[in-house]
């Protein structure tokens, strides 16, 4: 995760969930008043890499698909929105109990894996996929995800 280094304190779980809400829908009920305003400002001013680092910290692992057919099952749903093709590329799995789902799908842990497993919820799936593609994808995936995330940050 060399693209995701950040300085300073790590965000609390509450701040991460609120940030995901803001990035996914533009609003959150987790924080209110000045806390929400400060988080919005922090999101807008934080570089994409640092934002990805804060949100994905402790919630991500790499796995290897057993074959090409298996890998296709984990194609990111954001590909069209990011204007990426389905050919090759990184697979992404977002699930609340991601380790269990990965085990059930027979995905082996592998530090150079082709599938990113992220702990998260369905309502944040698009944002988490984009952050995972930014952090772990090839140059093309990283650039597309970075541009998409930057656009979302501006609208908050």
């Amino acid at each position: 995760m060399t693209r995701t280094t950040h300085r300073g304190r790590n965000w609390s779980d509450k701040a991460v969930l609120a940030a995901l809400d803001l990035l996914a829908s533009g609003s959150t009920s987790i924080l209110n008043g000045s806390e929400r305003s400060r988080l919005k400002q922090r999101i807008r001013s934080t570089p994409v890499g640092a934002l990805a680092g804060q949100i994905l910290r402790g919630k991500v692992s790499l796995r290897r698909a057993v074959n090409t057919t298996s890998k296709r099952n984990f194609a990111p749903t954001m590909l069209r929105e990011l204007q990426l093709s389905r050919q090759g590329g990184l697979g992404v799995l977002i699930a609340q109990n991601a380790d269990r789902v990965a085990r059930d799908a027979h995905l082996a842990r592998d530090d150079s894996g082709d599938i990113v497993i992220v702990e998260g919820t369905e309502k944040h799936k698009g944002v988490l996929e984009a952050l995972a593609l930014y952090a772990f994808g090839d140059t093309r995936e990283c650039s597309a995800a970075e541009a998409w995330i930057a656009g979302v940050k501006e609208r908050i």
Side-chain angles (χ1 to χ4, degrees):
M1 286 190 27
T2 59
R3 294 179 185 150
T4 62
T5 57
H6 66 275
R7 300 179 81 178
R9 291 188 304 197
N10 292 328
W11 293 0
S12 69
D13 290 341
K14 185 176 172 181
V16 168
L17 282 175
L20 283 168
D21 281 352
L22 289 168
L23 290 166
S25 67
S27 66
T28 185
S29 60
I30 296 171
L31 300 176
N32 50 37
S34 62
E35 281 183 307
R36 184 174 49 230
S37 294
R38 283 193 306 273
L39 181 60
K40 284 181 176 183
Q41 179 57 35
R42 191 179 313 151
I43 290 169
R44 284 191 294 265
S45 65
T46 300
V48 172
L51 185 64
Q54 288 286 8
I55 292 174
L56 295 177
R57 179 184 47 82
K59 294 178 172 74
V60 67
S61 66
L62 287 171
R63 304 290 178 118
R64 173 98 28 216
V66 291
N67 55 43
T68 308
T69 306
S70 174
K71 184 178 172 190
R72 277 191 220 125
N73 295 332
F74 303 104
T77 58
M78 290 290 292
L79 291 179
R80 177 171 277 146
E81 194 165 340
L82 297 174
Q83 298 177 347
L84 294 169
S85 68
R86 229 174 155 88
Q87 304 291 73
L90 192 64
V92 181
L93 169 65
I94 310 295
Q96 283 189 312
N97 191 339
D99 283 334
R100 183 186 54 76
V101 174
R103 275 192 311 275
D104 292 349
H106 305 292
L107 302 175
R109 282 195 183 267
D110 185 343
D111 288 340
S112 61
D114 53 3
I115 299 176
V116 180
I117 309 299
V118 183
E119 285 285 328
T121 63
E122 187 67 29
K123 79 177 188 176
H124 302 135
K125 184 174 184 171
V127 173
L128 290 170
E129 283 183 348
L131 292 168
L133 289 170
Y134 170 81
F136 296 98
D138 62 21
T139 304
R140 186 178 51 90
E141 292 166 330
C142 177
S143 294
E146 182 176 26
W148 184 86
I149 295 164
V152 170
K153 284 175 37 172
E154 289 176 11
R155 293 188 295 270
I156 292 179

